[in-house]
């Protein structure tokens, strides 16, 4: 069973001051597209592929379509609450990418491993921009 990798889109996107606030949906699309290679390659060094990647979006980032390799989950309310639900429902290894300390504690209760946004962006540097 592939590792479930849940990405807190708002938190990961907000960790890099690249103008994301001008168009949150477009920023979520860019992140989604950058994540695609990791569905098969994994997230080095500790999480080899394949990965089941879920990008959780909320607010003005809604409306992003899923693509092969990355499922986009639109939180009906709080993105954090949706991430907690997904982590709790995971049947295998679950990794959540967020810098939100409160969220880390909440998903940790269900056994999820947490990584900060830096882990994702450092790994993404090896791949060309889409």
């Amino acid at each position: 069973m592939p590792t479930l990798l849940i990405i807190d889109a708002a938190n990961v996107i907000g960790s890099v001051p690249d103008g994301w606030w001008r168009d949150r949906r477009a920023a979520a699309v860019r992140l989604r597209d950058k994540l695609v290679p990791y569905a098969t390659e994994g997230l080095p060094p500790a999480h080899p592929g394949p990965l089941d990647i879920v990008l959780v979006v909320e607010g003005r980032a809604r409306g992003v379509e899923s693509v092969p390799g990355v499922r986009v989950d639109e939180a009906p309310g709080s993105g954090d609450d949706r991430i907690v639900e997904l982590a709790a429902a995971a049947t295998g290894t679950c990794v959540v990418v967020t810098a939100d300390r409160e969220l880390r504690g909440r998903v940790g209760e269900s056994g999820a491993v947490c990584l900060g946004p830096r882990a994702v962006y450092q790994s993404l540097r090896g791949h060309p921009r889409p």
Side-chain angles (χ1 to χ4, degrees):
M1 171 171 283
T3 295
L4 175 61
L5 180 68
I6 304 171
I7 308 291
D8 179 354
N11 191 270
V12 172
I13 291 167
S15 71
V16 177
D18 63 358
W20 59 263
W21 52 88
R22 290 189 287 268
D23 189 341
R24 292 173 192 214
R25 185 181 169 286
V29 168
R30 286 191 302 273
L31 176 58
R32 177 205 62 196
D33 292 348
K34 290 176 184 178
L35 292 169
V36 169
Y38 294 96
T40 55
E41 295 173 16
L43 186 62
H47 305 287
L51 299 176
D52 179 14
I53 302 174
V54 179
L55 180 66
V56 177
V57 298
E58 62 186 328
R60 289 185 274 169
R62 286 186 178 103
V64 175
E65 298 287 325
S66 294
V67 295
V70 180
R71 179 169 55 97
V72 178
D73 189 303
E74 291 188 357
S78 161
D80 289 1
D81 290 346
R82 182 63 183 144
I83 291 167
V84 170
E85 290 172 7
L86 291 169
T91 57
T93 302
C94 178
V95 177
V96 175
V97 179
T98 186
D100 183 318
R101 287 184 183 166
E102 181 182 336
L103 178 57
R104 284 174 170 243
R106 291 175 65 194
V107 298
E109 292 174 10
S110 65
V113 174
C114 293
L115 298 174
R118 182 178 296 165
V120 173
Y121 279 116
Q122 284 176 340
S123 295
L124 291 174
R125 286 187 192 138
H127 291 279
R129 289 182 177 252

